[in-house]
Amino acid sequence: MINGSAPKFVYTLPRWLASAAMLAVLLSGCSSPSNPAPAATSSTTASEAASTNQQAQSTESTAAATQQESTVYYEIFVRSFADGNGDGIGDLKGITAKLDYLKDLGVGGIWLTPINPSPSYHGYDIIDHRAINPDFGTMADFDTLIKEAHKRNIKIIMDLVVNHTSKMNPWFIQSAKDEKSKYRSWYTWAEDQNLEPEGASATGSGNAWRPLLGSHYLAPFSDSMPDLNFDNPEVRGEIEDIGQFWLKKGVDGFRLDAAKHIYENLQTDHNEATTAKNVAWWQEFRSKMNEVDPKAYVVGEVWEKSAASVAAYLDRAFDSGFNFGLAEQILNAVSAEKDNNLAFTLKRTHDFYAQKSNGKFIDAVFLSNHDQNRVMSALGGDIHHARMAASILLTLPGNPFIYYGEEIGMKGSKPDEEIREPMQWYAAGKGIEQTTWEPAANNSGKDAPSVEAELKDPNSLLSHYRELITWRKQIPALQGSGIDEYTQDNGNIMAYVRTSGKDTVLVVHNLSSKEQTTTLTSSAGVPAFKSILKTTDSASKLDGGKLLLPPYSTVIVTP
């Protein structure tokens, strides 16, 4: 950060070097720590990215010119959310019963984790892609959920898990027991292709080849999740038909699980050629979905912190890729209580995405999901840091995704079951629609969070989420795609300019536990921001360009 006198609106060398280094990392092929793999070889270098940035800055950026969709999505781990029939298991009727809660929160879309029949509690190993898991209800229940959600202007996207199936899927059973079955080639068998059944899984789970009946099948994630063979056109056609089936049922889009692993099975597959094959398949899939609903929203799980790795999928395949690198940046900033040049990096990432997607991308921003430690636990239980993380998330461009329970401060660290605990509706942990399928080990006791308690408290984390989402809906600039760095002289403050068309606001966060001040000035291309439009703390003041921010507060300032 620049320390000293008045704010500056040009990049000084120390700031540029620090931010450029961060940008270079994001544009490289680094992978998620939870998915270890060799670095990808990428034709996009930092110098090429800089050239792209200069070109984007010399003309009006496609990203800045495009009015993006801005919908707040809410991820529901179905088994844990709400129980509609009293058996302790979350289900579709339970979700329907809680739609008004979600509408009042400000949610405009729901992401359902897998709802198909599966032998596992999590559902990511599917037996039948065109049916409903009986634990969750019936197809009629699903139809009702879609209908009632749409009445409230809430979209429904579903987890589409097609990289692999369950070992109990009839396709795989036939493939394994009958070498002459048409389903044999729906999966990859080492012996059939004269391959050595050895190779480290791209997911970090050991050998990707699993023994069965004297042969070895490809299953990088787990022996219970055999990979489908997408080199087989029958497989691709079947998956396309499944996607169209659900769109015709009224689903508004898909979250595509393990999207980069269609062809990236072994660690040696982590390269440009494999990415190109993945992208080509998802472009084919998207074109088929467009035949049913060209407006369907498609967001892919490409677990990479590398912008270059994600960008390829934004070319006529996905609308969005989850921004894993940004999630880490947000949590790092609020934990350290220091600005980390987030807006500088994000602006350049968006310019890069705009170039690759012809301006048609929508960022998918989030703090955590069902595969990661919960935000409150990642932040050591610090409620102030959780509030600031929410403030940043909900004032950034794109579609923010909230993981169920995040809005009330639920805790949980791996193993996975403990980050997917029952949603806490009641202070006593008991009541109508409360799920009980597993103990709430991290979210029970007198100090445990609950919707019941936080709805009554205007200063609760839940109230904070509702306030920030309301701001997002009320302020046009927060709904657009434009973001620019706003350089100022206080390292405990994070500031950035948000724009949509002619609407411009300055977002300013005091990340620290102490009152902070900064001076707001104008320069070429940057207006003078003169009036506080919104604040999370009424003690905020703006007088003659000097902005005073109470501890852990956020303000929106207008020209």
Side-chain angles (χ1 to χ4, degrees):
M1 289 297 301
I2 299 175
N3 296 309
S5 56
K8 298 178 181 179
F9 296 93
V10 295
Y11 307 127
T12 63
L13 185 60
R15 183 182 183 93
W16 184 91
L17 283 174
S19 300
M22 182 182 298
L23 184 64
V25 170
L26 287 170
L27 290 173
S28 71
C30 61
S31 61
S32 164
S34 62
N35 289 280
T41 302
S42 174
S43 59
T44 305
T45 64
S47 61
E48 287 173 316
S51 175
T52 298
N53 293 336
Q54 292 169 2
Q55 182 180 6
Q57 291 168 0
S58 66
T59 60
E60 184 177 17
S61 169
T62 306
T66 302
Q67 174 65 42
Q68 290 184 350
E69 176 184 4
S70 182
T71 300
V72 177
Y73 280 84
Y74 190 89
E75 181 192 355
I76 293 178
F77 189 77
V78 178
R79 187 171 295 273
S80 293
F81 189 64
D83 174 17
N85 64 3
D87 66 357
I89 297 173
D91 51 37
L92 300 175
K93 285 184 177 179
I95 296 170
T96 302
K98 296 300 185 182
L99 286 174
D100 287 336
Y101 165 78
L102 296 173
K103 182 175 177 61
D104 290 343
L105 177 60
V107 166
I110 296 170
W111 156 22
L112 300 175
T113 56
I115 59 174
N116 310 106
S118 168
S120 68
Y121 85 94
H122 53 71
Y124 282 90
D125 47 344
I126 292 173
I127 293 174
D128 184 348
H129 285 82
R130 293 183 180 84
I132 300 294
N133 188 329
D135 283 352
F136 302 154
T138 66
M139 191 65 79
D141 295 334
F142 184 68
D143 292 339
T144 299
L145 172 59
I146 293 286
K147 179 181 177 181
E148 292 300 318
H150 287 172
K151 279 184 182 179
R152 294 163 175 80
N153 294 317
I154 296 175
K155 301 172 185 178
I156 300 287
I157 66 172
M158 62 183 289
D159 231 315
L160 193 66
V161 185
V162 298
N163 173 73
H164 50 264
T165 69
S166 168
K167 194 174 181 179
M168 296 172 62
N169 189 300
W171 303 341
F172 183 73
I173 292 172
Q174 287 296 318
S175 180
K177 75 178 185 179
D178 183 0
E179 293 184 7
K180 296 182 179 180
S181 166
K182 81 164 191 172
Y183 295 107
R184 183 70 174 184
S185 62
W186 283 39
Y187 299 85
T188 303
W189 296 89
E191 288 74 13
D192 293 358
Q193 299 191 20
N194 295 317
L195 298 173
E196 287 295 325
E198 296 178 0
S201 167
T203 69
S205 64
N207 190 352
W209 296 96
R210 319 290 177 163
L212 182 65
L213 300 176
S215 298
H216 295 80
Y217 61 94
L218 186 64
F221 280 91
S222 162
D223 63 357
S224 65
M225 299 177 175
D227 258 34
L228 285 167
N229 174 19
F230 279 82
D231 283 330
N232 186 330
E234 290 185 353
V235 170
R236 299 198 303 274
E238 180 71 11
I239 298 308
E240 290 161 359
D241 189 73
I242 288 168
Q244 290 186 341
F245 170 84
W246 289 107
L247 290 181
K248 291 173 183 176
K249 293 290 294 182
V251 167
D252 298 290
F254 303 107
R255 179 262 185 184
L256 301 175
D257 181 65
K260 74 169 189 170
H261 288 292
I262 296 298
Y263 291 104
E264 187 178 314
N265 301 310
L266 308 179
Q267 288 192 10
T268 52
D269 294 331
H270 198 74
N271 54 53
E272 285 185 20
T274 301
T275 297
K277 285 188 72 176
N278 283 335
V279 171
W281 149 247
W282 287 120
Q283 289 173 336
E284 177 185 333
F285 174 84
R286 182 53 187 263
S287 69
K288 291 295 183 180
M289 298 310 101
N290 288 347
E291 293 175 4
V292 176
D293 183 2
K295 295 182 180 179
Y297 177 54
V298 177
V299 54
E301 181 198 28
V302 181
W303 197 318
E304 297 274 2
K305 289 184 287 185
S306 160
S309 297
V310 175
Y313 293 87
L314 302 177
D315 178 15
R316 295 169 290 123
F318 304 162
D319 297 296
S320 304
F322 285 108
N323 200 330
F324 286 89
L326 178 63
E328 184 175 307
Q329 277 189 281
I330 294 172
L331 297 185
N332 286 344
V334 300
S335 294
E337 301 191 352
K338 295 285 186 181
D339 178 34
N340 58 4
N341 301 330
L342 180 150
F344 176 96
T345 305
L346 188 60
K347 169 64 164 64
R348 283 146 186 80
T349 300
H350 282 191
D351 285 343
F352 181 53
Y353 285 171
Q355 183 221 6
K356 293 294 185 181
S357 68
N358 195 27
K360 295 181 180 179
F361 82 99
I362 306 165
D363 208 355
V365 296
F366 72 105
L367 299 176
S368 71
N369 63 28
H370 66 278
D371 286 325
Q372 299 173 301
N373 293 341
R374 282 188 170 275
V375 170
M376 189 60 80
S377 292
L379 296 176
D382 192 311
I383 186 67
H384 301 296
H385 291 170
R387 288 170 65 92
M388 296 314 299
S391 294
I392 296 171
L393 174 74
L394 294 168
T395 54
L396 292 177
N399 290 339
F401 281 74
I402 300 168
Y403 184 41
Y404 83 96
E406 193 172 280
E407 77 276 20
I408 60 172
M410 283 179 61
K411 296 179 180 178
S413 299
K414 285 178 174 285
D416 287 346
E417 289 83 352
E418 295 194 16
I419 57 178
R420 304 165 182 173
E421 288 185 356
M423 176 72 174
Q424 294 302 295
W425 296 104
Y426 303 98
K430 298 179 181 179
I432 298 172
E433 284 119 21
Q434 178 64 54
T435 60
T436 57
W437 73 275
E438 71 164 341
N442 297 286
N443 297 284
S444 58
K446 65 176 183 178
D447 296 324
S450 72
V451 172
E452 180 183 43
E454 295 195 24
L455 282 175
K456 300 174 184 177
D457 181 2
N459 296 313
S460 68
L461 185 60
L462 175 57
S463 295
H464 183 71
Y465 267 83
R466 293 174 71 168
E467 179 180 24
L468 267 292
I469 295 172
T470 298
W471 289 8
R472 192 175 186 90
K473 291 184 174 183
Q474 291 176 342
I475 302 171
L478 295 182
Q479 300 166 22
S481 62
I483 185 167
D484 278 291
E485 177 190 31
Y486 185 92
T487 307
Q488 46 79 46
D489 60 356
N490 189 324
N492 294 116
I493 288 176
M494 177 184 288
Y496 40 85
V497 177
R498 292 295 321 281
T499 57
S500 177
K502 296 180 179 180
D503 294 296
T504 301
V505 298
L506 177 66
V507 181
V508 189
H509 307 286
N510 177 4
L511 303 176
S512 78
S513 61
K514 298 179 180 179
E515 182 181 277
Q516 301 290 338
T517 61
T518 189
T519 302
L520 307 183
T521 63
S522 61
S523 68
V526 180
F529 292 97
K530 301 176 181 178
S531 177
I532 293 177
L533 176 64
K534 298 285 186 181
T535 178
T536 58
D537 191 317
S538 60
S540 301
K541 294 180 182 178
L542 178 57
D543 184 9
K546 185 175 182 179
L547 178 63
L548 180 147
L549 291 168
Y552 302 119
S553 62
T554 296
V555 299
I556 308 293
V557 189
T558 57

